[in-house]
mmCIF file of all heavy atoms in Angstrom:
data_model
loop_
_atom_site.group_PDB
_atom_site.id
_atom_site.type_symbol
_atom_site.label_atom_id
_atom_site.label_comp_id
_atom_site.label_asym_id
_atom_site.label_seq_id
_atom_site.Cartn_x
_atom_site.Cartn_y
_atom_site.Cartn_z
ATOM 1 N N GLY Z 1 0.781 -1.231 0.000
ATOM 2 C CA GLY Z 1 0.000 0.000 0.000
ATOM 3 C C GLY Z 1 0.808 1.274 0.000
ATOM 4 O O GLY Z 1 0.231 2.369 0.025
ATOM 5 N N LYS Z 2 2.139 1.193 -0.025
ATOM 6 C CA LYS Z 2 2.971 2.385 -0.034
ATOM 7 C C LYS Z 2 4.033 2.262 -1.114
ATOM 8 O O LYS Z 2 4.589 1.184 -1.332
ATOM 9 C CB LYS Z 2 3.640 2.614 1.332
ATOM 10 C CG LYS Z 2 2.664 2.972 2.448
ATOM 11 C CD LYS Z 2 3.397 3.321 3.731
ATOM 12 C CE LYS Z 2 2.433 3.764 4.829
ATOM 13 N NZ LYS Z 2 3.142 4.134 6.067
ATOM 14 N N TRP Z 3 4.334 3.407 -1.748
ATOM 15 C CA TRP Z 3 5.266 3.377 -2.869
ATOM 16 C C TRP Z 3 6.653 2.931 -2.430
ATOM 17 O O TRP Z 3 7.311 2.153 -3.125
ATOM 18 C CB TRP Z 3 5.355 4.763 -3.513
ATOM 19 C CG TRP Z 3 6.292 4.775 -4.686
ATOM 20 C CD1 TRP Z 3 6.031 4.389 -5.965
ATOM 21 C CD2 TRP Z 3 7.681 5.152 -4.660
ATOM 22 N NE1 TRP Z 3 7.159 4.505 -6.743
ATOM 23 C CE2 TRP Z 3 8.183 4.976 -5.975
ATOM 24 C CE3 TRP Z 3 8.533 5.625 -3.664
ATOM 25 C CZ2 TRP Z 3 9.509 5.260 -6.298
ATOM 26 C CZ3 TRP Z 3 9.856 5.904 -3.995
ATOM 27 C CH2 TRP Z 3 10.327 5.717 -5.299
ATOM 28 N N ASN Z 4 7.143 3.412 -1.283
ATOM 29 C CA ASN Z 4 8.491 3.044 -0.865
ATOM 30 C C ASN Z 4 8.607 1.553 -0.560
ATOM 31 O O ASN Z 4 9.660 0.941 -0.791
ATOM 32 C CB ASN Z 4 8.924 3.876 0.346
ATOM 33 C CG ASN Z 4 8.153 3.528 1.608
ATOM 34 O OD1 ASN Z 4 6.949 3.786 1.675
ATOM 35 N ND2 ASN Z 4 8.820 2.957 2.605
ATOM 36 N N LEU Z 5 7.508 0.947 -0.077
ATOM 37 C CA LEU Z 5 7.530 -0.499 0.184
ATOM 38 C C LEU Z 5 7.571 -1.288 -1.121
ATOM 39 O O LEU Z 5 8.244 -2.314 -1.214
ATOM 40 C CB LEU Z 5 6.306 -0.898 1.004
ATOM 41 C CG LEU Z 5 6.199 -0.279 2.402
ATOM 42 C CD1 LEU Z 5 4.944 -0.770 3.101
ATOM 43 C CD2 LEU Z 5 7.438 -0.610 3.231
ATOM 44 N N LEU Z 6 6.857 -0.781 -2.132
ATOM 45 C CA LEU Z 6 6.907 -1.426 -3.437
ATOM 46 C C LEU Z 6 8.298 -1.283 -4.043
ATOM 47 O O LEU Z 6 8.838 -2.241 -4.614
ATOM 48 C CB LEU Z 6 5.860 -0.811 -4.360
ATOM 49 C CG LEU Z 6 5.799 -1.372 -5.791
ATOM 50 C CD1 LEU Z 6 5.548 -2.870 -5.785
ATOM 51 C CD2 LEU Z 6 4.724 -0.652 -6.596
ATOM 52 N N LEU Z 7 8.897 -0.091 -3.925
ATOM 53 C CA LEU Z 7 10.256 0.120 -4.405
ATOM 54 C C LEU Z 7 11.221 -0.838 -3.726
ATOM 55 O O LEU Z 7 12.048 -1.477 -4.384
ATOM 56 C CB LEU Z 7 10.680 1.564 -4.136
ATOM 57 C CG LEU Z 7 12.162 1.882 -4.348
ATOM 58 C CD1 LEU Z 7 12.561 1.694 -5.807
ATOM 59 C CD2 LEU Z 7 12.484 3.306 -3.883
ATOM 60 N N ASP Z 8 11.129 -0.959 -2.432
ATOM 61 C CA ASP Z 8 12.024 -1.833 -1.684
ATOM 62 C C ASP Z 8 11.845 -3.292 -2.110
ATOM 63 O O ASP Z 8 12.831 -4.030 -2.273
ATOM 64 C CB ASP Z 8 11.760 -1.676 -0.181
ATOM 65 C CG ASP Z 8 12.879 -2.262 0.666
ATOM 66 O OD1 ASP Z 8 14.040 -1.856 0.479
ATOM 67 O OD2 ASP Z 8 12.594 -3.135 1.501
ATOM 68 N N GLU Z 9 10.594 -3.705 -2.305
ATOM 69 C CA GLU Z 9 10.322 -5.067 -2.736
ATOM 70 C C GLU Z 9 10.924 -5.345 -4.113
ATOM 71 O O GLU Z 9 11.534 -6.393 -4.351
ATOM 72 C CB GLU Z 9 8.810 -5.310 -2.763
ATOM 73 C CG GLU Z 9 8.385 -6.683 -3.259
ATOM 74 C CD GLU Z 9 8.766 -7.808 -2.310
ATOM 75 O OE1 GLU Z 9 9.111 -7.520 -1.144
ATOM 76 O OE2 GLU Z 9 8.724 -8.974 -2.743
ATOM 77 N N LEU Z 10 10.758 -4.405 -5.034
ATOM 78 C CA LEU Z 10 11.299 -4.585 -6.386
ATOM 79 C C LEU Z 10 12.824 -4.605 -6.375
ATOM 80 O O LEU Z 10 13.451 -5.360 -7.130
ATOM 81 C CB LEU Z 10 10.796 -3.470 -7.300
ATOM 82 C CG LEU Z 10 9.286 -3.442 -7.583
ATOM 83 C CD1 LEU Z 10 8.939 -2.252 -8.464
ATOM 84 C CD2 LEU Z 10 8.835 -4.742 -8.232
ATOM 85 N N CYS Z 11 13.430 -3.772 -5.520
ATOM 86 C CA CYS Z 11 14.889 -3.779 -5.404
ATOM 87 C C CYS Z 11 15.393 -5.128 -4.913
ATOM 88 O O CYS Z 11 16.367 -5.672 -5.439
ATOM 89 C CB CYS Z 11 15.340 -2.665 -4.464
ATOM 90 S SG CYS Z 11 15.132 -0.991 -5.117
ATOM 91 N N ASN Z 12 14.717 -5.658 -3.906
ATOM 92 C CA ASN Z 12 15.118 -6.960 -3.370
ATOM 93 C C ASN Z 12 14.946 -8.070 -4.402
ATOM 94 O O ASN Z 12 15.807 -8.952 -4.540
ATOM 95 C CB ASN Z 12 14.314 -7.282 -2.113
ATOM 96 C CG ASN Z 12 14.664 -6.368 -0.951
ATOM 97 O OD1 ASN Z 12 15.773 -5.835 -0.877
ATOM 98 N ND2 ASN Z 12 13.721 -6.155 -0.043
ATOM 99 N N ARG Z 13 13.838 -8.018 -5.144
ATOM 100 C CA ARG Z 13 13.586 -9.037 -6.157
ATOM 101 C C ARG Z 13 14.602 -8.975 -7.288
ATOM 102 O O ARG Z 13 14.919 -9.992 -7.912
ATOM 103 C CB ARG Z 13 12.170 -8.886 -6.716
ATOM 104 C CG ARG Z 13 11.076 -9.326 -5.751
ATOM 105 C CD ARG Z 13 9.692 -8.983 -6.299
ATOM 106 N NE ARG Z 13 8.645 -9.425 -5.390
ATOM 107 C CZ ARG Z 13 7.965 -10.561 -5.527
ATOM 108 N NH1 ARG Z 13 8.236 -11.360 -6.526
ATOM 109 N NH2 ARG Z 13 7.032 -10.892 -4.648
ATOM 110 N N ALA Z 14 15.098 -7.750 -7.555
ATOM 111 C CA ALA Z 14 16.087 -7.586 -8.618
ATOM 112 C C ALA Z 14 17.504 -7.896 -8.153
ATOM 113 O O ALA Z 14 18.450 -7.827 -8.941
ATOM 114 C CB ALA Z 14 16.026 -6.157 -9.162
ATOM 115 N N GLY Z 15 17.655 -8.230 -6.879
ATOM 116 C CA GLY Z 15 18.958 -8.597 -6.348
ATOM 117 C C GLY Z 15 19.732 -7.458 -5.727
ATOM 118 O O GLY Z 15 20.880 -7.641 -5.316
ATOM 119 N N PHE Z 16 19.101 -6.268 -5.612
ATOM 120 C CA PHE Z 16 19.787 -5.121 -5.015
ATOM 121 C C PHE Z 16 19.472 -5.062 -3.522
ATOM 122 O O PHE Z 16 18.768 -4.167 -3.049
ATOM 123 C CB PHE Z 16 19.350 -3.825 -5.697
ATOM 124 C CG PHE Z 16 19.714 -3.746 -7.152
ATOM 125 C CD1 PHE Z 16 18.730 -3.799 -8.127
ATOM 126 C CD2 PHE Z 16 21.036 -3.628 -7.539
ATOM 127 C CE1 PHE Z 16 19.050 -3.722 -9.470
ATOM 128 C CE2 PHE Z 16 21.379 -3.554 -8.879
ATOM 129 C CZ PHE Z 16 20.387 -3.609 -9.849
ATOM 130 N N VAL Z 17 20.001 -5.998 -2.782
ATOM 131 C CA VAL Z 17 19.740 -6.035 -1.346
ATOM 132 C C VAL Z 17 20.498 -4.913 -0.643
ATOM 133 O O VAL Z 17 19.999 -4.301 0.301
ATOM 134 C CB VAL Z 17 20.134 -7.400 -0.758
ATOM 135 C CG1 VAL Z 17 19.901 -7.418 0.756
ATOM 136 C CG2 VAL Z 17 19.348 -8.514 -1.428
ATOM 137 N N ASP Z 18 21.724 -4.628 -1.093
ATOM 138 C CA ASP Z 18 22.493 -3.532 -0.506
ATOM 139 C C ASP Z 18 22.360 -2.296 -1.384
ATOM 140 O O ASP Z 18 22.289 -2.371 -2.618
ATOM 141 C CB ASP Z 18 23.968 -3.914 -0.363
ATOM 142 C CG ASP Z 18 24.614 -4.148 -1.727
ATOM 143 O OD1 ASP Z 18 24.200 -5.118 -2.411
ATOM 144 O OD2 ASP Z 18 25.495 -3.374 -2.103
ATOM 145 N N THR Z 19 22.330 -1.143 -0.743
ATOM 146 C CA THR Z 19 22.106 0.117 -1.449
ATOM 147 C C THR Z 19 23.293 0.488 -2.335
ATOM 148 O O THR Z 19 23.115 1.147 -3.361
ATOM 149 C CB THR Z 19 21.834 1.247 -0.440
ATOM 150 O OG1 THR Z 19 20.748 0.874 0.401
ATOM 151 C CG2 THR Z 19 21.468 2.538 -1.147
ATOM 152 N N ALA Z 20 24.489 0.058 -1.984
ATOM 153 C CA ALA Z 20 25.676 0.427 -2.753
ATOM 154 C C ALA Z 20 25.600 -0.090 -4.191
ATOM 155 O O ALA Z 20 25.868 0.648 -5.150
ATOM 156 C CB ALA Z 20 26.930 -0.093 -2.060
ATOM 157 N N SER Z 21 25.232 -1.355 -4.353
ATOM 158 C CA SER Z 21 25.141 -1.910 -5.703
ATOM 159 C C SER Z 21 24.021 -1.250 -6.494
ATOM 160 O O SER Z 21 24.136 -1.017 -7.699
ATOM 161 C CB SER Z 21 24.915 -3.430 -5.631
ATOM 162 O OG SER Z 21 23.703 -3.740 -4.941
ATOM 163 N N LEU Z 22 22.934 -0.927 -5.810
ATOM 164 C CA LEU Z 22 21.819 -0.248 -6.459
ATOM 165 C C LEU Z 22 22.241 1.155 -6.890
ATOM 166 O O LEU Z 22 21.916 1.609 -8.005
ATOM 167 C CB LEU Z 22 20.629 -0.163 -5.492
ATOM 168 C CG LEU Z 22 19.374 0.547 -5.998
ATOM 169 C CD1 LEU Z 22 18.796 -0.166 -7.211
ATOM 170 C CD2 LEU Z 22 18.334 0.626 -4.882
ATOM 171 N N ALA Z 23 22.988 1.861 -6.044
ATOM 172 C CA ALA Z 23 23.444 3.208 -6.374
ATOM 173 C C ALA Z 23 24.401 3.193 -7.560
ATOM 174 O O ALA Z 23 24.363 4.096 -8.411
ATOM 175 C CB ALA Z 23 24.116 3.842 -5.156
ATOM 176 N N ALA Z 24 25.252 2.184 -7.633
ATOM 177 C CA ALA Z 24 26.187 2.088 -8.759
ATOM 178 C C ALA Z 24 25.432 1.927 -10.076
ATOM 179 O O ALA Z 24 25.761 2.572 -11.081
ATOM 180 C CB ALA Z 24 27.134 0.912 -8.540
ATOM 181 N N ARG Z 25 24.403 1.096 -10.078
ATOM 182 C CA ARG Z 25 23.610 0.891 -11.287
ATOM 183 C C ARG Z 25 22.796 2.143 -11.614
ATOM 184 O O ARG Z 25 22.645 2.511 -12.782
ATOM 185 C CB ARG Z 25 22.677 -0.303 -11.092
ATOM 186 C CG ARG Z 25 21.789 -0.624 -12.280
ATOM 187 C CD ARG Z 25 22.584 -0.953 -13.503
ATOM 188 N NE ARG Z 25 21.721 -1.343 -14.614
ATOM 189 C CZ ARG Z 25 22.035 -1.195 -15.884
ATOM 190 N NH1 ARG Z 25 23.207 -0.652 -16.223
ATOM 191 N NH2 ARG Z 25 21.197 -1.585 -16.826
ATOM 192 N N PHE Z 26 22.299 2.814 -10.595
ATOM 193 C CA PHE Z 26 21.540 4.052 -10.776
ATOM 194 C C PHE Z 26 22.421 5.117 -11.431
ATOM 195 O O PHE Z 26 21.982 5.805 -12.366
ATOM 196 C CB PHE Z 26 21.015 4.543 -9.424
ATOM 197 C CG PHE Z 26 20.145 5.765 -9.503
ATOM 198 C CD1 PHE Z 26 18.770 5.648 -9.636
ATOM 199 C CD2 PHE Z 26 20.697 7.039 -9.442
ATOM 200 C CE1 PHE Z 26 17.959 6.776 -9.716
ATOM 201 C CE2 PHE Z 26 19.894 8.166 -9.513
ATOM 202 C CZ PHE Z 26 18.521 8.030 -9.653
ATOM 203 N N CYS Z 27 23.647 5.275 -10.965
ATOM 204 C CA CYS Z 27 24.567 6.254 -11.536
ATOM 205 C C CYS Z 27 24.891 5.916 -12.986
ATOM 206 O O CYS Z 27 25.008 6.807 -13.836
ATOM 207 C CB CYS Z 27 25.852 6.318 -10.712
ATOM 208 S SG CYS Z 27 25.671 7.095 -9.076
ATOM 209 N N GLU Z 28 25.007 4.624 -13.277
ATOM 210 C CA GLU Z 28 25.308 4.203 -14.635
ATOM 211 C C GLU Z 28 24.182 4.588 -15.597
ATOM 212 O O GLU Z 28 24.426 5.112 -16.687
ATOM 213 C CB GLU Z 28 25.529 2.692 -14.659
ATOM 214 C CG GLU Z 28 25.848 2.128 -16.046
ATOM 215 C CD GLU Z 28 26.013 0.614 -16.018
ATOM 216 O OE1 GLU Z 28 26.156 0.048 -14.913
ATOM 217 O OE2 GLU Z 28 25.987 0.004 -17.112
ATOM 218 N N LEU Z 29 22.952 4.339 -15.188
ATOM 219 C CA LEU Z 29 21.803 4.633 -16.054
ATOM 220 C C LEU Z 29 21.539 6.129 -16.164
ATOM 221 O O LEU Z 29 20.981 6.592 -17.166
ATOM 222 C CB LEU Z 29 20.556 3.923 -15.527
ATOM 223 C CG LEU Z 29 20.543 2.398 -15.652
ATOM 224 C CD1 LEU Z 29 19.268 1.814 -15.046
ATOM 225 C CD2 LEU Z 29 20.669 1.970 -17.109
ATOM 226 N N SER Z 30 21.892 6.894 -15.138
ATOM 227 C CA SER Z 30 21.658 8.342 -15.160
ATOM 228 C C SER Z 30 22.855 9.115 -15.709
ATOM 229 O O SER Z 30 22.869 10.344 -15.666
ATOM 230 C CB SER Z 30 21.316 8.844 -13.752
ATOM 231 O OG SER Z 30 22.357 8.540 -12.838
ATOM 232 N N ASN Z 31 23.848 8.376 -16.222
ATOM 233 C CA ASN Z 31 25.034 8.989 -16.837
ATOM 234 C C ASN Z 31 25.749 9.940 -15.891
ATOM 235 O O ASN Z 31 26.153 11.042 -16.268
ATOM 236 C CB ASN Z 31 24.647 9.735 -18.121
ATOM 237 C CG ASN Z 31 24.115 8.806 -19.191
ATOM 238 O OD1 ASN Z 31 24.641 7.712 -19.389
ATOM 239 N ND2 ASN Z 31 23.056 9.224 -19.878
ATOM 240 N N SER Z 32 25.851 9.537 -14.649
ATOM 241 C CA SER Z 32 26.580 10.330 -13.661
ATOM 242 C C SER Z 32 27.713 9.488 -13.093
ATOM 243 O O SER Z 32 27.610 8.267 -13.009
ATOM 244 C CB SER Z 32 25.647 10.800 -12.536
ATOM 245 O OG SER Z 32 25.007 9.695 -11.916
ATOM 246 N N GLY Z 33 28.786 10.140 -12.742
ATOM 247 C CA GLY Z 33 29.932 9.409 -12.208
ATOM 248 C C GLY Z 33 30.641 10.220 -11.148
ATOM 249 O O GLY Z 33 30.322 11.371 -10.892
ATOM 250 N N GLY Z 34 31.613 9.614 -10.548
ATOM 251 C CA GLY Z 34 32.353 10.291 -9.497
ATOM 252 C C GLY Z 34 31.832 9.933 -8.121
ATOM 253 O O GLY Z 34 30.688 9.511 -7.951
ATOM 254 N N GLN Z 35 32.678 10.133 -7.137
ATOM 255 C CA GLN Z 35 32.333 9.755 -5.771
ATOM 256 C C GLN Z 35 31.184 10.582 -5.225
ATOM 257 O O GLN Z 35 30.316 10.080 -4.513
ATOM 258 C CB GLN Z 35 33.560 9.921 -4.859
ATOM 259 C CG GLN Z 35 33.370 9.402 -3.446
ATOM 260 C CD GLN Z 35 33.090 7.901 -3.416
ATOM 261 O OE1 GLN Z 35 33.724 7.142 -4.142
ATOM 262 N NE2 GLN Z 35 32.146 7.477 -2.579
ATOM 263 N N ARG Z 36 31.147 11.881 -5.582
ATOM 264 C CA ARG Z 36 30.077 12.735 -5.070
ATOM 265 C C ARG Z 36 28.716 12.274 -5.589
ATOM 266 O O ARG Z 36 27.742 12.215 -4.840
ATOM 267 C CB ARG Z 36 30.329 14.183 -5.463
ATOM 268 C CG ARG Z 36 29.230 15.139 -5.028
ATOM 269 C CD ARG Z 36 29.582 16.578 -5.330
ATOM 270 N NE ARG Z 36 30.760 17.017 -4.595
ATOM 271 C CZ ARG Z 36 31.269 18.240 -4.686
ATOM 272 N NH1 ARG Z 36 30.713 19.140 -5.488
ATOM 273 N NH2 ARG Z 36 32.338 18.577 -3.983
ATOM 274 N N ASP Z 37 28.631 11.947 -6.891
ATOM 275 C CA ASP Z 37 27.374 11.465 -7.464
ATOM 276 C C ASP Z 37 26.950 10.150 -6.822
ATOM 277 O O ASP Z 37 25.766 9.928 -6.540
ATOM 278 C CB ASP Z 37 27.505 11.270 -8.976
ATOM 279 C CG ASP Z 37 27.663 12.585 -9.710
ATOM 280 O OD1 ASP Z 37 27.107 13.595 -9.239
ATOM 281 O OD2 ASP Z 37 28.343 12.605 -10.748
ATOM 282 N N PHE Z 38 27.922 9.282 -6.593
ATOM 283 C CA PHE Z 38 27.612 7.998 -5.961
ATOM 284 C C PHE Z 38 27.098 8.197 -4.536
ATOM 285 O O PHE Z 38 26.098 7.582 -4.137
ATOM 286 C CB PHE Z 38 28.858 7.108 -5.949
ATOM 287 C CG PHE Z 38 28.664 5.796 -5.233
ATOM 288 C CD1 PHE Z 38 28.005 4.742 -5.845
ATOM 289 C CD2 PHE Z 38 29.135 5.618 -3.933
ATOM 290 C CE1 PHE Z 38 27.816 3.532 -5.183
ATOM 291 C CE2 PHE Z 38 28.959 4.422 -3.271
ATOM 292 C CZ PHE Z 38 28.300 3.373 -3.901
ATOM 293 N N ASP Z 39 27.753 9.060 -3.770
ATOM 294 C CA ASP Z 39 27.317 9.312 -2.399
ATOM 295 C C ASP Z 39 25.911 9.911 -2.370
ATOM 296 O O ASP Z 39 25.089 9.566 -1.503
ATOM 297 C CB ASP Z 39 28.290 10.260 -1.690
ATOM 298 C CG ASP Z 39 29.659 9.626 -1.460
ATOM 299 O OD1 ASP Z 39 29.736 8.386 -1.513
ATOM 300 O OD2 ASP Z 39 30.632 10.372 -1.246
ATOM 301 N N THR Z 40 25.629 10.808 -3.319
ATOM 302 C CA THR Z 40 24.291 11.398 -3.400
ATOM 303 C C THR Z 40 23.254 10.338 -3.728
ATOM 304 O O THR Z 40 22.156 10.330 -3.158
ATOM 305 C CB THR Z 40 24.257 12.509 -4.466
ATOM 306 O OG1 THR Z 40 25.182 13.540 -4.095
ATOM 307 C CG2 THR Z 40 22.862 13.104 -4.590
ATOM 308 N N ALA Z 41 23.596 9.446 -4.656
ATOM 309 C CA ALA Z 41 22.672 8.375 -5.027
ATOM 310 C C ALA Z 41 22.387 7.456 -3.844
ATOM 311 O O ALA Z 41 21.242 7.046 -3.619
ATOM 312 C CB ALA Z 41 23.235 7.577 -6.202
ATOM 313 N N VAL Z 42 23.412 7.123 -3.078
ATOM 314 C CA VAL Z 42 23.218 6.264 -1.896
ATOM 315 C C VAL Z 42 22.280 6.943 -0.903
ATOM 316 O O VAL Z 42 21.347 6.318 -0.371
ATOM 317 C CB VAL Z 42 24.576 5.949 -1.226
ATOM 318 C CG1 VAL Z 42 24.364 5.301 0.138
ATOM 319 C CG2 VAL Z 42 25.407 5.036 -2.111
ATOM 320 N N ARG Z 43 22.519 8.218 -0.650
ATOM 321 C CA ARG Z 43 21.681 8.952 0.302
ATOM 322 C C ARG Z 43 20.231 9.031 -0.188
ATOM 323 O O ARG Z 43 19.286 8.791 0.578
ATOM 324 C CB ARG Z 43 22.244 10.354 0.517
ATOM 325 C CG ARG Z 43 21.463 11.191 1.525
ATOM 326 C CD ARG Z 43 22.163 12.494 1.832
ATOM 327 N NE ARG Z 43 22.285 13.349 0.657
ATOM 328 C CZ ARG Z 43 23.437 13.538 -0.006
ATOM 329 N NH1 ARG Z 43 24.539 12.946 0.397
ATOM 330 N NH2 ARG Z 43 23.468 14.324 -1.069
ATOM 331 N N ASN Z 44 20.056 9.362 -1.464
ATOM 332 C CA ASN Z 44 18.697 9.457 -2.013
ATOM 333 C C ASN Z 44 17.972 8.116 -1.983
ATOM 334 O O ASN Z 44 16.794 8.040 -1.617
ATOM 335 C CB ASN Z 44 18.751 9.993 -3.445
ATOM 336 C CG ASN Z 44 19.075 11.474 -3.511
ATOM 337 O OD1 ASN Z 44 18.861 12.206 -2.541
ATOM 338 N ND2 ASN Z 44 19.587 11.924 -4.635
ATOM 339 N N LEU Z 45 18.666 7.073 -2.376
ATOM 340 C CA LEU Z 45 18.034 5.754 -2.422
ATOM 341 C C LEU Z 45 17.631 5.287 -1.028
ATOM 342 O O LEU Z 45 16.567 4.679 -0.851
ATOM 343 C CB LEU Z 45 18.981 4.747 -3.073
ATOM 344 C CG LEU Z 45 19.127 4.899 -4.595
ATOM 345 C CD1 LEU Z 45 20.362 4.168 -5.098
ATOM 346 C CD2 LEU Z 45 17.874 4.381 -5.295
ATOM 347 N N ASN Z 46 18.461 5.567 -0.034
ATOM 348 C CA ASN Z 46 18.088 5.221 1.343
ATOM 349 C C ASN Z 46 16.839 5.995 1.774
ATOM 350 O O ASN Z 46 15.950 5.430 2.429
ATOM 351 C CB ASN Z 46 19.249 5.529 2.292
ATOM 352 C CG ASN Z 46 20.331 4.465 2.262
ATOM 353 O OD1 ASN Z 46 20.037 3.286 2.044
ATOM 354 N ND2 ASN Z 46 21.572 4.856 2.476
#
């Protein structure tokens, strides 16, 4: 019944149990790189 719970479920089903691997893939698809972009992605995804 909540969007964040659905997001979390889909992440787990896709194998992204840890946020770091999910953030790396997110940065790749959004054409962003560098440590700052990665740290921002981790914070946002959490």
Side-chain angles (χ1 to χ4, degrees):
K2 293 186 176 181
W3 181 82
N4 69 293
L5 297 180
L6 179 58
L7 169 64
D8 195 56
E9 177 68 15
L10 294 178
C11 290
N12 292 334
R13 287 173 179 262
F16 297 111
V17 178
D18 64 295
T19 305
S21 60
L22 179 62
R25 180 60 176 153
F26 184 91
C27 289
E28 180 182 345
L29 291 178
S30 58
N31 296 319
S32 57
Q35 187 62 42
R36 177 175 297 180
D37 292 328
F38 176 78
D39 293 341
T40 299
V42 169
R43 182 173 63 254
N44 287 337
L45 286 163
N46 281 328

